[in-house]
Amino acid sequence: MPCYTVNQHSIQILLSWIQAGQIAIPEIQRPFVWSGSQVRDLIDSLYRGYPVGYLIAWQSPNVRLRSGENSSGRQILIDGQQRVTALMAAVLGHRIINNHYQKIRVRIAFHPLDEKFEVTNPAIEKNSAWLPDITSVLADGSRVFDLANQYLSKNPETDQAEVFERIQRLRNILNNQIGFISLNSDLDIEEVTEIFIRINAKGKVLSQADFIMSKIAANESYGGHDLRKLIDYFCHLCTLPEDFDAIQTQDIDFANTSLFQKLSWLKDTKDDLYNPEYTDVLRVAFVSEFGRGRLRDLVALLSGRDFEKRTYEEVIAEDSFAKLQKSVLSVVSQTHFQRFLMILRSAGIIDPALIGSVNVVNYAYVVYLLLKKDNFPPEQIESYVRRSYVLNILAERFAGNPEGTFDFDIRRINSEGFGTYFQGLEDSLLSMTFWGIALPQKLRTSSASSPFFRLFRAAQVKANDKGFLSKAITVRDMILHRGDRHHIYPKQHLIRLGYRQSEYNQIANYALTQSEINIQISDTAPEVYFAELVNQCSGGSQTYGAVIDRAELESNLEENCIPTYMLDKDKVPNYETFLSDRRHLMAQKIKCYYEGL
């Protein structure tokens, strides 16, 4: 049996259904991402009879009401939202919300003689050869005869029949047929996603979070529309707090709700360490409150799914929306969010550049919320949050199936308790073999974005280490103010020796240093410039930085995990030996860092 139906509907009918609420467009209250030229191109394609793709909707499951009857679920538009929004703007004259949550008009002009469309501008407004806004042609009650005569009065030398024909052709786009695919309500989220990808010519990936946000926005019974805005505005304001006033001005109804007041703290925030997207907000909220890790289950629960009876019940949908709102409010709480970021910073995670996987951050936030809810002592919460963050990176636990990791862990945590479960993870994943063999091997890479290199730098930040050969400037300062990444065995020196890029760019050959020190060393062989450093600390000329004391120099090398044998010209090893020795030193520094969390 087909799991969908395909029909052709005119633009006029589809827009009337949307205005009547028979088809829900979750994105209609979100920023419109198309440019004016994309709207113009859509209208031009319709005018010329070109295909504009299918619209895809997913029928909401019928929910059993308290009366025993089944509801008739609305259709949720899951593909075509931008096209429909563009049509509502250009055809109906609706104002749309731009990326800064300002309501604007996108007006499309039509040149009947050249049969061209353009985004209206002041020059077009003054040119009588253009119809500056096609809504005047497409509006209900507009008459082609009147429009053509008005145009001819301003352009008397034009061909009357030609003007009539082309204005009529423009008006006829309302009768253009668009394919409408309606997916059955009994499909699960994986099937809907697969169908979406196969139908969509570009193979766009539609995330589970997209479905959830559509599901939330389409709900009118349990505050879904406002919950959607809460999540959207939180994510937006984390990145662009300056848009707070614009949101407050353009969305007055929501601005007067208690939900919006929960976001007022964001207008003054300057923190960009962790700017969650709605996928992250949903994941953290769902895992921490529902005790499940797979977002497809949230779609089912919001639809009223009873997993045991395999039916849909209104009471489950109502309870799920209530729980989700409660957990989202916990996620966006100023106290929780800022406290969590403070804990991350206390682990040396002071800059977005030190964060690789956002799911590792999400997991750590889940840990914070769970332990906070269970009234763990603050110092224990801080330690567990820091250690869970670092352990997940060290063990690469989110490299494969993040949803599976979330789901497995939260079920075990709920069964065993967090402390017991986490202790088991540490014992199984962070053995002496890991620290002595596995981690040095993980550091054998030329990828500067390596999560292990990020952890090494975080360890240096937490230890308040100085930059390589710096007397006062710390690694923290260099990360925040973009210090230089120095090749300890200089790149040009290694190139002269025949090393390839993947070899001279090993992360074990990197150290953060001041630009002037990096420039001064240039391509000098290590045995030469380290000997000059020794001489500098014995009263010789001051060439590299301000360190002039031997003990201070040795301490600086130890902080940067550079073997002190480099200070003995006769003991400077070949490049491969140096890399191996430094990897083990870096691994031990990360181990001490972890144990101190």
Side-chain angles (χ1 to χ4, degrees):
M1 290 287 293
C3 56
Y4 63 92
T5 58
V6 181
N7 292 290
Q8 296 283 331
H9 299 294
S10 71
I11 290 173
Q12 192 165 33
I13 288 175
L14 286 171
L15 290 178
S16 69
W17 286 350
I18 290 163
Q19 288 183 297
Q22 292 174 258
I23 300 174
I25 311 179
E27 300 293 329
I28 203 68
Q29 290 299 327
R30 302 190 70 222
F32 182 62
V33 298
W34 272 19
S35 65
S37 60
Q38 286 176 292
V39 179
R40 175 204 64 199
D41 291 345
L42 174 64
I43 298 300
D44 185 71
S45 294
L46 290 169
Y47 181 80
R48 301 184 190 286
Y50 296 164
V52 294
Y54 285 90
L55 304 180
I56 307 176
W58 185 18
Q59 179 78 36
S60 295
N62 289 333
V63 176
R64 185 177 300 168
L65 305 176
R66 289 188 177 92
S67 64
E69 299 176 348
N70 284 332
S71 69
S72 179
R74 290 198 300 166
Q75 302 223 58
I76 302 170
L77 197 65
I78 60 173
D79 185 35
Q81 294 162 350
Q82 293 293 309
R83 279 171 288 162
V84 168
T85 304
L87 287 172
M88 295 181 78
V91 174
L92 301 179
H94 284 202
R95 291 161 66 87
I96 59 174
I97 301 169
N98 67 12
N99 286 333
H100 294 283
Y101 285 92
Q102 298 167 325
K103 283 189 175 180
I104 61 170
R105 274 289 316 275
V106 176
R107 296 196 301 155
I108 303 300
F110 177 57
H111 195 299
L113 304 182
D114 294 341
E115 294 185 282
K116 285 178 57 179
F117 294 90
E118 287 295 345
V119 180
T120 303
N121 57 44
I124 286 175
E125 291 268 17
K126 296 175 183 177
N127 190 336
S128 63
W130 287 86
L131 294 171
D133 191 345
I134 63 172
T135 58
S136 63
V137 179
L138 302 173
D140 285 342
S142 65
R143 291 162 48 105
V144 173
F145 180 83
D146 293 339
L147 292 166
N149 281 333
Q150 289 171 16
Y151 184 85
L152 290 166
S153 67
K154 297 176 184 177
N155 302 275
E157 296 180 1
T158 55
D159 184 282
Q160 181 178 2
E162 193 173 71
V163 171
F164 269 88
E165 185 271 328
R166 289 174 182 175
I167 292 179
Q168 182 63 59
R169 183 177 173 185
L170 172 58
R171 183 159 178 78
N172 285 345
I173 71 171
L174 292 172
N175 300 320
N176 281 30
Q177 302 287 303
I178 294 182
F180 188 81
I181 299 174
S182 180
L183 305 180
N184 294 354
S185 62
D186 57 356
L187 294 174
D188 63 32
I189 191 169
E190 281 79 10
E191 291 176 301
V192 174
T193 304
E194 181 63 23
I195 292 170
F196 179 91
I197 292 172
R198 293 192 184 192
I199 293 173
N200 193 303
K202 296 179 181 179
K204 173 187 172 184
V205 175
L206 190 71
S207 74
Q208 293 176 346
D210 291 324
F211 283 111
I212 295 168
M213 293 295 273
S214 297
K215 181 68 183 175
I216 293 171
N219 175 270
E220 295 178 344
S221 302
Y222 310 122
H225 189 57
D226 284 345
L227 179 57
R228 169 65 183 253
K229 289 185 177 183
L230 175 69
I231 297 169
D232 263 339
Y233 290 156
F234 172 75
C235 295
H236 184 85
L237 290 171
C238 279
T239 305
L240 296 169
E242 62 270 22
D243 287 347
F244 182 87
D245 289 339
I247 294 172
Q248 191 171 35
T249 300
Q250 73 88 15
D251 197 350
I252 296 173
D253 289 342
F254 185 71
N256 289 327
T257 66
S258 61
L259 293 181
F260 185 71
Q261 301 311 310
K262 302 290 186 182
L263 303 180
S264 60
W265 64 274
L266 286 164
K267 64 182 177 182
D268 300 315
T269 187
K270 304 295 181 185
D271 200 326
D272 65 349
L273 181 62
Y274 170 48
N275 290 331
E277 298 181 356
Y278 60 71
T279 303
D280 308 309
V281 173
L282 288 169
R283 192 175 300 285
V284 173
F286 180 55
V287 176
S288 61
E289 183 65 29
F290 288 76
R292 293 172 177 264
R294 300 185 187 278
L295 288 179
R296 67 184 181 192
D297 291 344
L298 181 53
V299 177
L301 287 167
L302 293 176
S303 298
R305 179 71 168 172
D306 185 318
F307 290 104
E308 293 183 2
K309 297 179 182 177
R310 298 185 179 182
T311 59
Y312 290 91
E313 309 287 344
E314 183 186 24
V315 66
I316 294 176
E318 182 178 9
D319 180 62
S320 297
F321 269 96
K323 287 175 68 175
L324 182 60
Q325 178 170 304
K326 173 188 171 186
S327 57
V328 168
L329 284 171
S330 186
V331 171
V332 307
S333 158
Q334 179 180 11
T335 300
H336 290 167
F337 196 74
Q338 292 185 335
R339 177 68 177 170
F340 169 66
L341 294 185
M342 184 173 67
I343 295 171
L344 274 189
R345 282 196 168 82
S346 72
I349 314 300
I350 58 169
D351 188 88
L354 295 179
I355 294 175
S357 168
V358 71
N359 271 322
V360 176
V361 183
N362 293 339
Y363 187 101
Y365 199 8
V366 169
V367 170
Y368 172 83
L369 294 174
L370 288 174
L371 301 186
K372 186 78 174 174
K373 187 164 55 175
D374 289 343
N375 295 315
F376 274 60
E379 62 277 7
Q380 247 189 325
I381 294 176
E382 293 170 19
S383 178
Y384 276 133
V385 168
R386 289 189 290 257
R387 285 156 59 201
S388 66
Y389 176 87
V390 175
L391 179 143
N392 281 321
I393 294 175
L394 289 170
E396 299 179 276
R397 299 187 69 236
F398 288 95
N401 177 15
E403 281 217 323
T405 301
F406 273 109
D407 195 60
F408 181 82
D409 278 21
I410 192 62
R411 292 176 188 273
R412 293 288 295 274
I413 289 168
N414 288 339
S415 172
E416 302 174 18
F418 183 83
T420 300
Y421 179 63
F422 190 76
Q423 184 64 56
L425 282 179
E426 285 186 319
D427 293 343
S428 63
L429 297 174
L430 303 182
S431 64
M432 293 306 296
T433 301
F434 172 83
W435 295 115
I437 299 175
L439 184 54
Q441 279 299 112
K442 291 176 185 289
L443 291 164
R444 189 185 182 93
T445 176
S446 60
S447 173
S449 62
S450 163
F452 310 106
F453 188 44
R454 287 190 175 104
L455 274 187
F456 173 69
R457 289 189 290 170
Q460 287 196 288
V461 170
K462 184 162 177 59
N464 203 35
D465 291 337
K466 305 291 194 304
F468 177 52
L469 303 183
S470 291
K471 184 176 180 65
I473 297 179
T474 64
V475 170
R476 173 188 290 268
D477 297 329
M478 292 182 184
I479 288 173
L480 294 177
H481 303 291
R482 305 297 181 256
D484 279 9
R485 194 168 63 210
H486 170 67
H487 290 75
I488 300 168
Y489 276 56
K491 179 171 72 174
Q492 291 302 321
H493 168 70
L494 291 174
I495 290 173
R496 286 195 296 267
L497 295 177
Y499 286 94
R500 300 188 300 268
Q501 182 178 9
S502 61
E503 296 170 325
Y504 62 69
N505 278 344
Q506 286 288 303
I507 62 173
N509 192 32
Y510 290 149
L512 286 176
T513 191
Q514 295 168 237
S515 296
E516 57 270 26
I517 295 174
N518 193 25
I519 292 169
Q520 191 64 44
I521 292 174
S522 185
D523 61 351
T524 307
E527 60 269 22
V528 175
Y529 79 81
F530 274 98
E532 291 175 339
L533 281 166
V534 172
N535 181 58
Q536 178 174 305
C537 292
S538 302
S541 61
Q542 191 171 327
T543 307
Y544 309 110
V547 177
I548 56 175
D549 177 78
R550 173 69 181 244
E552 188 176 357
L553 176 59
E554 290 181 358
S555 176
N556 182 272
L557 297 188
E558 289 171 1
E559 289 180 1
N560 286 279
C561 295
I562 298 171
T564 54
Y565 58 52
M566 297 295 290
L567 298 177
D568 188 334
K569 186 175 182 180
D570 297 327
K571 293 184 180 179
V572 174
N574 62 42
Y575 181 52
E576 289 80 4
T577 299
F578 165 78
L579 289 178
S580 177
D581 291 344
R582 189 166 188 244
R583 288 185 190 111
H584 281 85
L585 291 174
M586 292 169 73
Q588 284 304 302
K589 188 175 190 76
I590 294 172
K591 179 176 184 291
C592 292
Y593 160 69
Y594 180 79
E595 291 172 345
L597 295 175

